[in-house]
Amino acid sequence: MIKLIQALMLGAALLFSVSANAEVVLEDDSLILGKWNLYAEAIALHKEKVELFSVWEFRKGGVLHTVSNDRRGRTKTLTIDLKYAVEDGVIKKQKTPGRAKMEDCRVIKLEDGEMTLKCTFVYFFLKR
């Protein structure tokens, strides 16, 4: 009986950990269109966040318009347009302007005006 209870508890814990890290599968860009304040990034989901001051605007036609403030004060603002598309449930975002290389960004959280993206080497934290 004790082994059965332990097995059930282990199964419940495994199910909870899988559902806690479930990603959002996008059908198209309708849920992400518009302006988002990119306020932090981190190398892992539960690691220390680095504060950012950027606005990402997902526009129709596959343009990700970004406006960033330089936190070190060398330039006032940096504006860049990148290409993006939603394919296979993830955001495919141009890594560098003028280059064809794209990176996959999986939506880890999308609720209550907040979105968390897991891109190749970094997590991005955004709010509406």
Side-chain angles (χ1 to χ4, degrees), residues 66-117:
T66 66
V67 178
S68 302
N69 294 320
D70 185 359
R71 60 182 185 246
R72 290 178 178 63
R74 289 177 273 164
T75 60
K76 297 212 182 246
T77 58
L78 177 63
T79 303
I80 298 173
D81 284 340
L82 300 170
K83 295 177 185 177
Y84 83 92
V86 173
E87 296 176 9
D88 302 322
V90 302
I91 300 168
K92 298 196 181 275
K93 178 180 78 63
Q94 190 177 20
K95 283 186 76 109
T96 308
R99 303 254 171 113
K101 184 155 177 105
M102 304 288 270
E103 72 175 328
D104 286 358
C105 293
R106 300 183 183 288
V107 180
I108 303 300
K109 176 183 177 183
L110 183 59
E111 61 186 31
D112 300 326
E114 292 188 21
M115 178 165 60
T116 303
L117 299 178

Side-chain angles (χ1 to χ4, degrees), residues 1 8 27 32 39 43 50-52 60 76-77 79-81 86 88 91-92 109 117 122-123:
M1 182 69 167
L8 288 173
E27 293 181 23
I32 62 169
Y39 66 91
I43 59 170
V50 175
E51 188 176 27
L52 297 175
K60 288 187 182 276
K76 297 212 182 246
T77 58
T79 303
I80 298 173
D81 284 340
V86 173
D88 302 322
I91 300 168
K92 298 196 181 275
K109 176 183 177 183
L117 299 178
V122 68
Y123 285 83

Side-chain angles (χ1 to χ4, degrees), residues 16-60:
F16 176 74
S17 70
V18 169
S19 65
N21 293 321
E23 65 185 53
V24 177
V25 178
L26 299 175
E27 293 181 23
D28 54 32
D29 64 356
S30 62
L31 295 176
I32 62 169
L33 284 174
K35 288 186 179 182
W36 294 87
N37 292 313
L38 173 60
Y39 66 91
E41 68 180 10
I43 59 170
L45 194 56
H46 301 292
K47 295 283 185 179
E48 183 178 349
K49 295 176 183 170
V50 175
E51 188 176 27
L52 297 175
F53 302 97
S54 295
V55 175
W56 284 13
E57 182 180 0
F58 290 92
R59 295 179 174 173
K60 288 187 182 276

